[in-house]
Amino acid sequence: QLSPAALSDFNPVTIETSPGRIYEGASADLCLVDPEARWTIDQQALLGKSKNTPFGGWEAKGRVLMTLCGGRVTHDSL
Protein backbone atom coordinates (compact mmCIF):
# COMPACT_ATOMS: atom_id res chain seq x y z
CA GLN A 1 0.00 0.00 0.00
CA LEU A 2 1.31 3.45 -0.85
CA SER A 3 1.84 6.02 1.86
CA PRO A 4 -0.24 9.22 1.67
CA ALA A 5 3.01 11.15 1.11
CA ALA A 6 3.67 9.17 -2.08
CA LEU A 7 0.67 10.84 -3.69
CA SER A 8 0.95 14.28 -2.07
CA ASP A 9 1.31 15.98 -5.48
CA PHE A 10 -1.26 13.79 -7.23
CA ASN A 11 -4.37 15.65 -8.38
CA PRO A 12 -6.83 13.40 -10.27
CA VAL A 13 -8.72 16.46 -11.55
CA THR A 14 -5.75 17.72 -13.57
CA ILE A 15 -4.25 14.47 -14.88
CA GLU A 16 -4.31 13.58 -18.54
CA THR A 17 -6.56 10.58 -19.10
CA SER A 18 -6.17 8.09 -21.90
CA PRO A 19 -8.88 7.59 -24.52
CA GLY A 20 -9.41 3.99 -23.34
CA ARG A 21 -6.61 2.50 -25.38
CA ILE A 22 -3.44 0.72 -24.32
CA TYR A 23 -0.38 1.51 -26.44
CA GLU A 24 3.25 2.49 -26.01
CA GLY A 25 3.61 6.08 -24.85
CA ALA A 26 0.05 6.42 -23.54
CA SER A 27 -0.63 7.36 -19.92
CA ALA A 28 -1.82 4.23 -18.15
CA ASP A 29 -5.32 4.19 -16.64
CA LEU A 30 -5.54 0.57 -15.53
CA CYS A 31 -6.95 -1.54 -12.73
CA LEU A 32 -5.49 -4.97 -11.90
CA VAL A 33 -8.09 -7.22 -10.23
CA ASP A 34 -7.91 -10.73 -8.79
CA PRO A 35 -11.49 -12.00 -9.23
CA GLU A 36 -10.82 -15.08 -7.06
CA ALA A 37 -9.24 -13.33 -4.05
CA ARG A 38 -11.23 -13.78 -0.84
CA TRP A 39 -10.90 -11.31 2.01
CA THR A 40 -12.78 -10.07 5.05
CA ILE A 41 -14.00 -6.47 5.07
CA ASP A 42 -12.33 -4.66 7.99
CA GLN A 43 -13.93 -1.31 8.83
CA GLN A 44 -10.75 0.02 10.42
CA ALA A 45 -8.68 -0.77 7.31
CA LEU A 46 -10.91 1.28 4.97
CA LEU A 47 -8.96 4.11 3.33
CA GLY A 48 -11.79 6.66 3.21
CA LYS A 49 -12.44 9.24 5.92
CA SER A 50 -15.55 7.39 7.08
CA LYS A 51 -15.31 3.93 8.58
CA ASN A 52 -19.07 3.35 8.38
CA THR A 53 -20.12 0.27 6.43
CA PRO A 54 -22.88 -2.28 6.84
CA PHE A 55 -20.50 -4.91 5.41
CA GLY A 56 -17.87 -5.02 8.18
CA GLY A 57 -16.85 -8.60 8.91
CA TRP A 58 -18.32 -9.96 5.67
CA GLU A 59 -16.22 -12.17 3.41
CA ALA A 60 -15.86 -10.73 -0.09
CA LYS A 61 -14.67 -12.29 -3.33
CA GLY A 62 -12.62 -10.25 -5.81
CA ARG A 63 -10.08 -7.61 -4.90
CA VAL A 64 -8.31 -4.71 -6.58
CA LEU A 65 -4.57 -5.32 -6.45
CA MET A 66 -3.26 -2.22 -8.21
CA THR A 67 -4.54 0.88 -9.98
CA LEU A 68 -2.72 3.27 -12.27
CA CYS A 69 -4.15 6.66 -13.09
CA GLY A 70 -2.43 8.98 -15.54
CA GLY A 71 0.55 6.62 -15.54
CA ARG A 72 1.04 6.79 -11.77
CA VAL A 73 0.42 3.96 -9.33
CA THR A 74 -2.38 5.17 -7.05
CA HIS A 75 -3.01 1.90 -5.18
CA ASP A 76 -0.69 -1.07 -4.74
CA SER A 77 -1.45 -4.05 -2.52
CA LEU A 78 0.93 -6.47 -4.24
Side-chain angles (χ1 to χ4, degrees):
Q1 181 173 338
L2 298 174
S3 71
L7 296 174
S8 62
D9 65 337
F10 182 72
N11 183 348
V13 175
T14 62
I15 62 167
E16 177 185 339
T17 57
S18 71
R21 297 177 186 84
I22 300 172
Y23 58 90
E24 186 175 343
S27 294
D29 293 327
L30 301 171
C31 182
L32 177 63
V33 177
D34 180 352
E36 298 301 318
R38 293 190 177 275
W39 58 288
T40 301
I41 299 169
D42 177 5
Q43 291 173 271
Q44 297 309 310
L46 296 176
L47 299 177
K49 290 181 180 180
S50 174
K51 304 299 181 194
N52 297 330
T53 178
F55 306 109
W58 287 25
E59 183 178 342
K61 182 178 176 185
R63 186 159 200 158
V64 173
L65 301 177
M66 179 182 283
T67 59
L68 290 97
C69 187
R72 293 189 61 184
V73 175
T74 56
H75 172 75
D76 185 356
S77 65
L78 293 176

